[in-house]
Coordinates of all heavy atoms in Angstrom, one line a residue:
T1 N -36.6 63.4 -54.7 CA -37.3 62.2 -54.4 C -38.2 62.5 -53.2 O -37.7 63.0 -52.2 CB -36.4 61.0 -54.2 OG1 -35.6 60.8 -55.3 CG2 -37.2 59.8 -53.9
I2 N -39.4 62.0 -53.3 CA -40.3 62.2 -52.1 C -40.9 60.8 -51.8 O -41.4 60.1 -52.6 CB -41.5 63.1 -52.4 CG1 -41.0 64.5 -52.7 CG2 -42.5 63.1 -51.2 CD1 -42.1 65.5 -53.0
D3 N -40.7 60.4 -50.5 CA -41.3 59.2 -49.9 C -42.6 59.7 -49.2 O -42.5 60.4 -48.2 CB -40.3 58.5 -49.0 CG -40.9 57.3 -48.3 OD1 -42.2 57.1 -48.4 OD2 -40.2 56.5 -47.7
W4 N -43.7 59.3 -49.7 CA -45.0 59.8 -49.2 C -45.5 59.2 -47.9 O -46.5 59.6 -47.4 CB -46.1 59.6 -50.3 CG -45.8 60.4 -51.5 CD1 -45.3 60.0 -52.7 CD2 -45.9 61.9 -51.7 NE1 -45.2 61.1 -53.6 CE2 -45.5 62.2 -53.0 CE3 -46.3 62.9 -50.8 CZ2 -45.5 63.5 -53.4 CZ3 -46.3 64.2 -51.2 CH2 -45.9 64.5 -52.6
G5 N -44.7 58.2 -47.4 CA -45.1 57.6 -46.1 C -46.1 56.5 -46.2 O -46.4 55.9 -45.2
D6 N -46.7 56.2 -47.3 CA -47.7 55.2 -47.5 C -47.2 54.0 -48.4 O -48.0 53.2 -48.9 CB -49.0 55.7 -48.0 CG -48.9 56.3 -49.4 OD1 -47.7 56.5 -49.9 OD2 -49.9 56.7 -50.0
G7 N -45.9 54.0 -48.6 CA -45.3 53.0 -49.5 C -45.0 53.5 -50.9 O -44.4 52.8 -51.7
A8 N -45.5 54.7 -51.2 CA -45.3 55.2 -52.6 C -44.1 56.3 -52.5 O -44.0 56.9 -51.5 CB -46.5 55.9 -53.1
S9 N -43.4 56.3 -53.6 CA -42.4 57.4 -53.7 C -42.3 57.8 -55.1 O -42.8 57.1 -56.0 CB -41.0 56.9 -53.2 OG -40.5 55.9 -54.0
A10 N -41.8 59.0 -55.4 CA -41.7 59.5 -56.7 C -40.6 60.6 -56.8 O -40.2 61.1 -55.8 CB -43.0 60.2 -57.1
E11 N -40.1 60.7 -58.0 CA -39.1 61.7 -58.3 C -39.7 62.9 -59.1 O -40.5 62.7 -60.0 CB -37.9 61.1 -59.0 CG -37.1 60.1 -58.2 CD -35.8 59.7 -58.8 OE1 -35.4 60.4 -59.8 OE2 -35.3 58.7 -58.4
F12 N -39.3 64.1 -58.7 CA -39.8 65.3 -59.3 C -38.7 66.2 -59.7 O -37.7 66.3 -59.0 CB -40.8 66.0 -58.4 CG -42.0 65.2 -58.0 CD1 -42.1 64.5 -56.9 CD2 -43.2 65.3 -58.9 CE1 -43.2 63.7 -56.6 CE2 -44.3 64.5 -58.5 CZ -44.3 63.8 -57.4
D13 N -38.9 67.1 -60.7 CA -38.0 68.2 -61.0 C -38.3 69.2 -59.9 O -39.4 69.6 -59.7 CB -38.3 68.7 -62.4 CG -37.3 69.7 -62.8 OD1 -37.0 70.6 -62.0 OD2 -36.9 69.7 -64.0
P14 N -37.2 69.7 -59.3 CA -37.4 70.7 -58.2 C -38.2 72.0 -58.7 O -38.8 72.6 -57.9 CB -36.0 71.1 -57.8 CG -35.2 69.9 -58.2 CD -35.8 69.3 -59.4
R15 N -38.1 72.3 -60.0 CA -38.9 73.4 -60.5 C -40.4 73.2 -60.4 O -41.1 74.2 -60.5 CB -38.4 73.7 -62.0 CG -37.0 74.2 -62.1 CD -36.5 74.3 -63.5 NE -36.4 72.9 -64.0 CZ -35.8 72.6 -65.1 NH1 -35.2 73.5 -65.8 NH2 -35.7 71.3 -65.5
D16 N -40.8 72.0 -60.3 CA -42.2 71.7 -60.2 C -42.8 71.9 -58.7 O -44.0 71.8 -58.5 CB -42.6 70.3 -60.7 CG -42.3 70.2 -62.2 OD1 -42.3 71.2 -62.9 OD2 -42.0 69.0 -62.6
A17 N -41.9 72.0 -57.8 CA -42.3 72.0 -56.4 C -42.5 73.5 -55.9 O -41.9 74.0 -55.0 CB -41.2 71.4 -55.5
E18 N -43.4 74.1 -56.6 CA -43.8 75.5 -56.2 C -45.0 75.5 -55.3 O -45.8 74.5 -55.3 CB -44.0 76.3 -57.5 CG -42.8 76.5 -58.3 CD -43.0 77.4 -59.5 OE1 -44.0 78.2 -59.5 OE2 -42.2 77.4 -60.4
P19 N -45.3 76.6 -54.6 CA -46.5 76.6 -53.8 C -47.8 76.5 -54.6 O -47.8 76.8 -55.8 CB -46.4 78.0 -53.1 CG -45.0 78.4 -53.2 CD -44.5 77.7 -54.5
Y20 N -48.9 76.0 -54.0 CA -50.2 76.0 -54.6 C -50.6 77.3 -55.1 O -50.3 78.3 -54.4 CB -51.2 75.4 -53.6 CG -52.6 75.4 -54.1 CD1 -53.0 74.3 -54.8 CD2 -53.5 76.4 -53.9 CE1 -54.3 74.2 -55.3 CE2 -54.8 76.3 -54.4 CZ -55.2 75.2 -55.1 OH -56.4 75.1 -55.6
P21 N -51.1 77.5 -56.2 CA -51.7 76.5 -57.2 C -50.7 76.2 -58.3 O -51.1 75.5 -59.2 CB -52.9 77.2 -57.7 CG -52.5 78.6 -57.8 CD -51.6 78.9 -56.6
D22 N -49.5 76.7 -58.3 CA -48.6 76.6 -59.4 C -47.8 75.3 -59.4 O -47.4 74.8 -60.5 CB -47.6 77.8 -59.4 CG -48.3 79.1 -59.6 OD1 -49.3 79.1 -60.4 OD2 -47.9 80.1 -59.0
G23 N -47.6 74.7 -58.3 CA -46.8 73.5 -58.2 C -47.5 72.3 -58.7 O -48.7 72.2 -58.7
T24 N -46.8 71.3 -59.2 CA -47.4 70.1 -59.8 C -46.9 68.8 -59.0 O -47.2 67.7 -59.5 CB -47.0 69.9 -61.2 OG1 -45.6 69.9 -61.4 CG2 -47.6 71.1 -62.1
V25 N -46.3 69.0 -57.8 CA -46.0 67.8 -57.0 C -47.2 67.5 -56.2 O -47.6 68.2 -55.3 CB -44.7 68.2 -56.1 CG1 -44.4 67.0 -55.2 CG2 -43.5 68.5 -57.0
V26 N -47.8 66.4 -56.5 CA -49.0 65.9 -55.8 C -49.0 64.4 -55.5 O -48.3 63.7 -56.2 CB -50.3 66.3 -56.6 CG1 -50.5 67.8 -56.8 CG2 -50.3 65.6 -58.0
H27 N -49.8 64.0 -54.6 CA -50.0 62.6 -54.2 C -51.3 62.4 -53.6 O -51.8 63.2 -52.8 CB -48.9 62.2 -53.3 CG -49.0 60.7 -52.8 ND1 -48.8 59.7 -53.7 CD2 -49.4 60.2 -51.7 CE1 -49.0 58.6 -53.1 NE2 -49.3 58.8 -51.8
S28 N -52.1 61.4 -54.0 CA -53.4 61.1 -53.4 C -53.2 59.9 -52.4 O -52.6 58.9 -52.8 CB -54.4 60.7 -54.5 OG -54.6 61.8 -55.4
Y29 N -53.8 60.1 -51.2 CA -53.8 59.1 -50.2 C -55.1 58.3 -50.3 O -56.1 58.9 -50.5 CB -53.6 59.7 -48.8 CG -52.2 60.2 -48.6 CD1 -51.8 61.5 -48.9 CD2 -51.2 59.3 -48.1 CE1 -50.5 62.0 -48.7 CE2 -49.9 59.8 -47.9 CZ -49.6 61.1 -48.2 OH -48.3 61.5 -48.0
I30 N -55.0 57.0 -50.1 CA -56.2 56.2 -50.1 C -56.9 56.2 -48.7 O -58.1 56.1 -48.7 CB -55.8 54.7 -50.5 CG1 -55.3 54.8 -51.9 CG2 -57.0 53.8 -50.4 CD1 -54.8 53.4 -52.4
R31 N -56.1 56.3 -47.6 CA -56.7 56.3 -46.3 C -56.3 57.5 -45.5 O -55.2 58.0 -45.6 CB -56.2 55.0 -45.6 CG -56.5 53.7 -46.3 CD -56.4 52.6 -45.5 NE -57.5 52.5 -44.6 CZ -58.1 51.4 -44.3 NH1 -57.7 50.3 -44.7 NH2 -59.2 51.4 -43.5
K32 N -57.3 58.0 -44.8 CA -57.0 59.2 -43.9 C -56.3 58.7 -42.7 O -56.2 57.5 -42.4 CB -58.2 59.9 -43.6 CG -59.3 59.2 -42.7 CD -60.5 60.0 -42.5 CE -61.5 59.3 -41.7 NZ -62.6 60.2 -41.3
T33 N -55.7 59.6 -41.9 CA -55.0 59.2 -40.7 C -55.9 59.7 -39.5 O -56.5 60.8 -39.5 CB -53.6 59.8 -40.6 OG1 -53.7 61.2 -40.8 CG2 -52.7 59.2 -41.7
C34 N -55.9 58.9 -38.4 CA -56.7 59.3 -37.3 C -56.0 58.8 -36.0 O -55.2 57.9 -36.0 CB -58.1 58.5 -37.3 SG -58.9 58.7 -38.9
S35 N -56.5 59.4 -34.9 CA -55.9 59.0 -33.6 C -56.4 57.6 -33.3 O -57.5 57.1 -33.8 CB -56.3 60.0 -32.5 OG -57.8 59.9 -32.3
Q36 N -55.7 56.9 -32.3 CA -56.2 55.6 -31.9 C -57.6 55.6 -31.3 O -58.4 54.8 -31.6 CB -55.2 55.0 -30.9 CG -55.5 53.6 -30.5 CD -55.4 52.6 -31.7 OE1 -54.4 52.6 -32.4 NE2 -56.4 51.8 -31.9
Q37 N -57.9 56.7 -30.6 CA -59.2 56.8 -29.9 C -60.3 56.9 -31.0 O -61.3 56.3 -30.9 CB -59.3 58.0 -29.0 CG -60.6 58.2 -28.4 CD -60.7 59.5 -27.6 OE1 -59.8 60.2 -27.5 NE2 -61.9 59.7 -27.0
Y38 N -60.0 57.7 -32.1 CA -61.0 57.8 -33.1 C -61.2 56.5 -33.8 O -62.3 56.1 -34.1 CB -60.5 58.9 -34.1 CG -61.5 59.2 -35.2 CD1 -62.4 60.3 -35.1 CD2 -61.5 58.5 -36.4 CE1 -63.3 60.6 -36.1 CE2 -62.4 58.8 -37.4 CZ -63.3 59.8 -37.3 OH -64.2 60.1 -38.3
R39 N -60.1 55.8 -34.1 CA -60.2 54.5 -34.8 C -61.0 53.5 -34.0 O -61.8 52.7 -34.5 CB -58.8 53.9 -35.1 CG -58.1 54.6 -36.2 CD -56.9 53.8 -36.6 NE -55.9 53.6 -35.6 CZ -54.8 54.4 -35.4 NH1 -54.6 55.5 -36.1 NH2 -53.9 54.1 -34.4
D40 N -60.9 53.6 -32.6 CA -61.5 52.6 -31.7 C -63.0 53.0 -31.5 O -63.8 52.1 -31.2 CB -60.8 52.5 -30.4 CG -59.4 51.9 -30.5 OD1 -59.2 51.2 -31.6 OD2 -58.6 52.1 -29.6
T41 N -63.4 54.3 -31.5 CA -64.7 54.6 -31.0 C -65.6 55.3 -32.0 O -66.8 55.2 -31.9 CB -64.6 55.6 -29.8 OG1 -63.9 56.8 -30.3 CG2 -63.8 55.0 -28.7
H42 N -65.1 55.8 -33.1 CA -65.9 56.5 -34.1 C -66.5 55.5 -35.1 O -65.8 54.5 -35.5 CB -65.1 57.6 -34.8 CG -66.0 58.6 -35.5 ND1 -66.5 58.4 -36.8 CD2 -66.5 59.8 -35.1 CE1 -67.2 59.4 -37.1 NE2 -67.2 60.3 -36.1
A43 N -67.7 55.8 -35.6 CA -68.3 54.9 -36.6 C -67.5 54.8 -37.9 O -67.6 53.8 -38.6 CB -69.8 55.4 -36.9
S44 N -66.8 55.9 -38.2 CA -66.0 55.9 -39.4 C -64.5 55.5 -39.1 O -63.7 55.6 -40.0 CB -66.0 57.3 -40.0 OG -67.3 57.6 -40.4
G45 N -64.3 54.9 -38.0 CA -62.9 54.6 -37.6 C -62.2 53.5 -38.5 O -61.0 53.5 -38.7
E46 N -63.1 52.7 -39.2 CA -62.5 51.7 -40.1 C -62.0 52.3 -41.4 O -61.3 51.7 -42.1 CB -63.5 50.6 -40.4 CG -64.6 51.0 -41.3 CD -65.8 51.7 -40.6 OE1 -65.8 51.8 -39.4 OE2 -66.7 52.1 -41.4
L47 N -62.3 53.6 -41.6 CA -61.8 54.2 -42.8 C -60.4 54.8 -42.7 O -59.8 55.3 -43.6 CB -62.8 55.4 -43.2 CG -64.2 54.9 -43.6 CD1 -65.1 56.1 -43.9 CD2 -64.2 54.0 -44.7
C48 N -59.9 54.8 -41.4 CA -58.6 55.3 -41.1 C -57.5 54.3 -41.4 O -57.8 53.1 -41.4 CB -58.6 55.7 -39.7 SG -59.8 56.9 -39.2
H49 N -56.3 54.8 -41.6 CA -55.1 54.0 -41.6 C -55.1 53.2 -40.3 O -55.4 53.7 -39.3 CB -53.9 54.8 -41.8 CG -52.7 54.0 -42.1 ND1 -52.0 53.3 -41.1 CD2 -52.0 53.7 -43.2 CE1 -51.0 52.6 -41.6 NE2 -51.0 52.8 -42.9
P50 N -54.8 51.9 -40.4 CA -54.9 51.0 -39.1 C -53.9 51.4 -38.0 O -54.2 51.1 -36.9 CB -54.7 49.6 -39.7 CG -54.0 49.8 -41.0 CD -54.4 51.1 -41.5
T51 N -52.8 52.1 -38.3 CA -51.8 52.3 -37.3 C -51.3 53.8 -37.3 O -50.8 54.2 -36.2 CB -50.6 51.4 -37.4 OG1 -50.0 51.6 -38.7 CG2 -51.0 49.9 -37.3
L52 N -51.4 54.5 -38.4 CA -50.8 55.8 -38.4 C -51.7 56.9 -38.0 O -52.9 57.0 -38.4 CB -50.2 56.1 -39.8 CG -49.1 55.2 -40.3 CD1 -48.7 55.6 -41.7 CD2 -47.9 55.3 -39.4
E53 N -51.2 57.9 -37.2 CA -51.9 59.1 -36.9 C -51.5 60.2 -37.9 O -52.1 61.3 -38.0 CB -51.7 59.5 -35.5 CG -52.3 58.6 -34.5 CD -52.3 59.0 -33.1 OE1 -52.1 60.2 -32.8 OE2 -52.4 58.2 -32.2
A54 N -50.4 60.0 -38.6 CA -49.9 61.0 -39.6 C -48.9 60.2 -40.5 O -48.3 59.3 -40.1 CB -49.2 62.2 -39.0
Y55 N -48.9 60.6 -41.8 CA -47.9 59.9 -42.7 C -46.6 60.6 -42.6 O -46.5 61.8 -42.6 CB -48.4 60.1 -44.2 CG -49.6 59.2 -44.5 CD1 -50.9 59.7 -44.5 CD2 -49.4 57.8 -44.7 CE1 -52.0 58.9 -44.8 CE2 -50.5 57.0 -45.0 CZ -51.8 57.6 -45.0 OH -52.9 56.8 -45.3
P56 N -45.5 59.8 -42.5 CA -44.1 60.4 -42.4 C -43.6 60.6 -43.8 O -43.1 59.7 -44.5 CB -43.3 59.3 -41.7 CG -44.0 58.0 -42.0 CD -45.5 58.4 -42.2
I57 N -43.7 61.9 -44.2 CA -43.2 62.2 -45.6 C -41.7 62.7 -45.5 O -41.4 63.4 -44.6 CB -44.0 63.4 -46.1 CG1 -45.5 63.0 -46.3 CG2 -43.5 63.9 -47.5 CD1 -46.4 64.1 -46.7
A58 N -40.9 62.1 -46.4 CA -39.5 62.5 -46.5 C -39.2 63.0 -47.9 O -39.5 62.4 -48.8 CB -38.6 61.3 -46.1
A59 N -38.6 64.2 -47.9 CA -38.2 64.7 -49.2 C -36.7 64.8 -49.2 O -36.0 65.3 -48.3 CB -38.8 66.1 -49.4
S60 N -36.1 64.3 -50.3 CA -34.6 64.3 -50.5 C -34.2 65.1 -51.7 O -34.8 65.0 -52.8 CB -34.1 62.9 -50.6 OG -34.4 62.1 -49.5
Y61 N -33.2 66.0 -51.5 CA -32.7 66.8 -52.6 C -31.2 66.3 -52.8 O -30.5 66.1 -51.9 CB -32.7 68.2 -52.3 CG -34.1 68.8 -52.1 CD1 -34.7 68.7 -50.8 CD2 -34.8 69.3 -53.2 CE1 -36.0 69.2 -50.7 CE2 -36.1 69.8 -53.0 CZ -36.7 69.7 -51.8 OH -37.9 70.2 -51.6
V62 N -30.8 66.2 -54.1 CA -29.5 65.8 -54.4 C -28.8 67.0 -55.1 O -29.3 67.5 -56.1 CB -29.4 64.6 -55.3 CG1 -28.0 64.2 -55.7 CG2 -30.1 63.4 -54.6
W63 N -27.7 67.5 -54.5 CA -27.0 68.6 -55.1 C -25.7 68.0 -55.6 O -25.0 67.3 -55.0 CB -26.6 69.6 -54.0 CG -27.8 70.1 -53.3 CD1 -28.5 69.6 -52.2 CD2 -28.6 71.3 -53.6 NE1 -29.6 70.4 -51.9 CE2 -29.6 71.4 -52.7 CE3 -28.4 72.3 -54.6 CZ2 -30.5 72.5 -52.8 CZ3 -29.3 73.3 -54.7 CH2 -30.4 73.4 -53.8
V64 N -25.4 68.4 -56.9 CA -24.2 67.9 -57.5 C -23.4 69.2 -57.9 O -24.0 70.1 -58.5 CB -24.5 67.1 -58.8 CG1 -23.2 66.7 -59.5 CG2 -25.3 65.9 -58.4
G65 N -22.2 69.2 -57.5 CA -21.4 70.4 -57.8 C -20.2 70.1 -58.7 O -19.6 69.0 -58.6
E66 N -19.8 71.1 -59.5 CA -18.6 71.0 -60.3 C -18.2 72.4 -60.7 O -18.9 73.3 -60.7 CB -18.8 70.1 -61.6 CG -20.0 70.5 -62.5 CD -20.3 69.6 -63.6 OE1 -19.8 68.4 -63.5 OE2 -21.0 69.9 -64.5
Y67 N -16.9 72.5 -61.0 CA -16.4 73.8 -61.5 C -15.5 73.6 -62.7 O -15.0 72.5 -63.0 CB -15.6 74.5 -60.3 CG -14.3 73.8 -60.0 CD1 -13.1 74.3 -60.6 CD2 -14.3 72.8 -59.0 CE1 -11.9 73.7 -60.2 CE2 -13.1 72.2 -58.7 CZ -11.9 72.7 -59.3 OH -10.7 72.1 -59.0
R68 N -15.3 74.7 -63.4 CA -14.5 74.6 -64.6 C -13.5 75.8 -64.6 O -13.8 76.9 -64.4 CB -15.4 74.7 -65.8 CG -14.6 74.6 -67.1 CD -15.5 74.4 -68.3 NE -16.0 75.7 -68.6 CZ -16.8 76.0 -69.7 NH1 -17.2 74.9 -70.4 NH2 -17.3 77.2 -69.9
I69 N -12.3 75.4 -64.8 CA -11.2 76.4 -65.1 C -10.6 75.9 -66.4 O -10.0 74.8 -66.4 CB -10.2 76.5 -64.0 CG1 -10.8 76.9 -62.7 CG2 -9.0 77.4 -64.4 CD1 -9.9 77.0 -61.5
G70 N -10.7 76.6 -67.5 CA -10.2 76.2 -68.7 C -11.2 75.3 -69.4 O -12.3 75.5 -69.5
A71 N -10.6 74.2 -69.9 CA -11.4 73.3 -70.8 C -12.3 72.3 -70.2 O -13.4 72.1 -70.7 CB -10.4 72.5 -71.7
G72 N -12.0 71.7 -69.0 CA -12.8 70.6 -68.5 C -13.4 70.9 -67.2 O -13.0 71.8 -66.4
W73 N -14.5 70.2 -66.9 CA -15.2 70.3 -65.6 C -14.6 69.4 -64.6 O -14.2 68.3 -64.9 CB -16.7 69.9 -65.8 CG -17.5 70.9 -66.5 CD1 -17.7 71.0 -67.9 CD2 -18.1 72.1 -66.0 NE1 -18.4 72.1 -68.2 CE2 -18.7 72.8 -67.1 CE3 -18.2 72.6 -64.7 CZ2 -19.4 74.0 -66.9 CZ3 -18.8 73.8 -64.6 CH2 -19.4 74.5 -65.6
T74 N -14.5 69.9 -63.3 CA -14.0 69.1 -62.2 C -15.1 68.9 -61.2 O -15.7 69.8 -60.7 CB -12.8 69.8 -61.5 OG1 -11.8 70.0 -62.5 CG2 -12.3 69.0 -60.4
P75 N -15.5 67.6 -60.9 CA -16.6 67.4 -59.9 C -16.2 67.7 -58.5 O -15.0 67.5 -58.1 CB -16.8 65.9 -60.1 CG -15.7 65.3 -60.8 CD -14.9 66.4 -61.5
L76 N -17.1 68.3 -57.8 CA -16.9 68.6 -56.4 C -17.5 67.6 -55.5 O -17.2 67.5 -54.3 CB -17.6 70.0 -56.0 CG -16.9 71.2 -56.7 CD1 -17.8 72.4 -56.4 CD2 -15.5 71.4 -56.1
G77 N -18.4 66.8 -56.0 CA -19.0 65.7 -55.3 C -20.6 65.9 -55.2 O -21.1 66.8 -55.9
T78 N -21.2 65.0 -54.5 CA -22.6 65.0 -54.4 C -23.0 65.1 -52.9 O -22.4 64.5 -52.1 CB -23.2 63.7 -55.0 OG1 -22.8 63.6 -56.3 CG2 -24.7 63.6 -54.9
L79 N -24.1 65.9 -52.7 CA -24.6 66.1 -51.3 C -26.1 65.8 -51.4 O -26.8 66.3 -52.2 CB -24.4 67.5 -50.9 CG -25.0 67.9 -49.5 CD1 -24.4 67.1 -48.4 CD2 -24.9 69.4 -49.3
T80 N -26.5 64.8 -50.5 CA -28.0 64.5 -50.4 C -28.5 65.1 -49.1 O -27.9 64.8 -48.0 CB -28.2 63.0 -50.5 OG1 -27.7 62.5 -51.7 CG2 -29.7 62.7 -50.4
V81 N -29.5 65.8 -49.2 CA -30.2 66.4 -48.0 C -31.6 65.9 -47.9 O -32.3 65.9 -48.9 CB -30.2 68.0 -48.1 CG1 -30.9 68.6 -46.9 CG2 -28.8 68.5 -48.2
T82 N -32.0 65.4 -46.7 CA -33.3 64.8 -46.6 C -34.0 65.5 -45.4 O -33.4 65.7 -44.3 CB -33.3 63.3 -46.3 OG1 -32.7 62.7 -47.4 CG2 -34.7 62.7 -46.1
T83 N -35.2 65.9 -45.6 CA -36.0 66.4 -44.5 C -37.3 65.6 -44.3 O -37.8 65.0 -45.3 CB -36.3 67.9 -44.7 OG1 -36.9 68.5 -43.5 CG2 -37.2 68.1 -45.9
Q84 N -37.9 65.5 -43.1 CA -39.0 64.7 -42.9 C -40.1 65.5 -42.1 O -39.7 66.3 -41.3 CB -38.7 63.4 -42.2 CG -39.8 62.4 -42.1 CD -39.3 61.1 -41.5 OE1 -38.2 60.9 -41.0 NE2 -40.2 60.1 -41.6
L85 N -41.3 65.2 -42.4 CA -42.4 65.8 -41.6 C -43.5 64.8 -41.5 O -43.7 63.9 -42.3 CB -42.9 67.2 -42.2 CG -43.5 67.1 -43.6 CD1 -45.0 66.9 -43.5 CD2 -43.2 68.4 -44.4
L86 N -44.4 65.0 -40.5 CA -45.6 64.2 -40.3 C -46.8 64.9 -40.9 O -47.0 66.1 -40.7 CB -45.8 63.9 -38.8 CG -44.8 63.1 -38.2 CD1 -45.1 63.0 -36.7 CD2 -44.7 61.7 -38.8
Y87 N -47.5 64.3 -41.8 CA -48.6 64.9 -42.5 C -49.9 64.1 -42.2 O -50.1 63.0 -42.4 CB -48.4 64.8 -44.0 CG -49.4 65.5 -44.9 CD1 -49.6 66.8 -44.8 CD2 -50.3 64.7 -45.7 CE1 -50.5 67.5 -45.6 CE2 -51.2 65.3 -46.4 CZ -51.4 66.7 -46.4 OH -52.3 67.3 -47.2
D88 N -50.9 64.9 -41.6 CA -52.2 64.3 -41.2 C -53.1 64.5 -42.3 O -53.4 65.6 -42.8 CB -52.7 65.1 -39.9 CG -54.0 64.6 -39.5 OD1 -54.4 63.5 -39.7 OD2 -54.7 65.5 -38.9
V89 N -53.7 63.4 -42.8 CA -54.7 63.4 -43.8 C -56.1 63.3 -43.2 O -56.4 62.3 -42.6 CB -54.5 62.2 -44.8 CG1 -55.6 62.2 -45.9 CG2 -53.1 62.3 -45.5
D90 N -56.8 64.4 -43.2 CA -58.1 64.4 -42.6 C -59.3 63.8 -43.4 O -60.3 63.5 -42.8 CB -58.5 65.9 -42.2 CG -57.5 66.5 -41.2 OD1 -57.1 65.7 -40.3 OD2 -57.2 67.7 -41.3
E91 N -59.1 63.7 -44.7 CA -60.2 63.3 -45.5 C -59.6 62.6 -46.7 O -58.7 63.1 -47.3 CB -61.1 64.4 -45.9 CG -62.3 64.0 -46.8 CD -63.2 65.2 -47.1 OE1 -62.9 66.3 -46.7 OE2 -64.2 64.9 -47.8
A92 N -60.2 61.5 -47.1 CA -59.9 60.8 -48.4 C -61.2 60.6 -49.1 O -62.1 59.9 -48.6 CB -59.1 59.5 -48.1
R93 N -61.3 61.1 -50.3 CA -62.5 61.0 -51.0 C -62.4 59.9 -52.1 O -61.4 59.8 -52.7 CB -62.9 62.3 -51.7 CG -63.1 63.4 -50.8 CD -63.5 64.6 -51.6 NE -63.4 65.8 -50.7 CZ -63.8 67.0 -51.1 NH1 -64.3 67.2 -52.4 NH2 -63.7 68.0 -50.3
G94 N -63.5 59.2 -52.3 CA -63.5 58.2 -53.4 C -63.7 58.9 -54.8 O -64.5 59.8 -54.9
L95 N -62.9 58.4 -55.7 CA -63.1 58.9 -57.1 C -63.3 57.8 -58.1 O -62.6 56.8 -57.9 CB -61.8 59.7 -57.5 CG -61.4 60.9 -56.7 CD1 -60.1 61.5 -57.1 CD2 -62.5 62.0 -56.8
P96 N -64.2 57.9 -59.0 CA -64.3 56.8 -60.0 C -63.1 56.7 -60.9 O -62.6 57.8 -61.3 CB -65.6 57.2 -60.8 CG -65.8 58.7 -60.5 CD -65.1 59.0 -59.2
V97 N -62.6 55.6 -61.2 CA -61.5 55.3 -62.0 C -62.0 54.6 -63.3 O -62.6 53.5 -63.1 CB -60.4 54.5 -61.3 CG1 -59.2 54.3 -62.3 CG2 -59.9 55.3 -60.1
P98 N -61.8 55.2 -64.5 CA -62.3 54.5 -65.7 C -61.6 53.2 -65.9 O -60.5 53.0 -65.6 CB -62.1 55.5 -66.8 CG -61.2 56.5 -66.2 CD -61.2 56.4 -64.8

């Protein structure tokens, strides 16, 4: 599961999270992120997110373990690992939507 930091989240198969250009885990941001000074002084400051200088992205992985001796499987439990990073979006382009 990925929380994109802009209110959107999505679940992906870990096999899809490969490096560019092979990976298919993608997200489009509507607003770029800028410093407070840029928002206050630059002519394009209104195109920036109103408060964020970077989006806080969090990725969570769920590991489920089990083992088998003989006929049945025995669960070992579930482990959820989450990591977070700040992602600066320098440009957001408009695209026509049919």
Side-chain angles (χ1 to χ4, degrees):
T1 302
I2 299 179
D3 178 345
W4 295 105
D6 63 351
S9 65
E11 292 190 17
F12 297 93
D13 187 314
R15 294 172 289 199
D16 296 334
E18 294 185 19
Y20 178 83
D22 299 321
T24 59
V25 176
V26 296
H27 177 69
S28 296
Y29 288 92
I30 295 173
R31 302 195 79 141
K32 64 183 184 173
T33 54
C34 309
S35 68
Q36 185 65 48
Q37 179 184 2
Y38 185 93
R39 288 192 298 267
D40 291 343
T41 61
H42 196 276
S44 297
E46 74 275 356
L47 299 176
C48 301
H49 188 282
T51 58
L52 295 178
E53 293 188 20
Y55 288 102
I57 298 175
S60 298
Y61 297 88
V62 178
W63 301 87
V64 178
E66 56 187 14
Y67 70 93
R68 181 172 78 177
I69 299 177
W73 287 94
T74 301
L76 292 172
T78 302
L79 174 66
T80 301
V81 178
T82 300
T83 188
Q84 188 171 10
L85 64 92
L86 294 175
Y87 183 69
D88 178 28
V89 175
D90 293 326
E91 181 178 1
R93 297 183 193 186
L95 300 173
V97 178

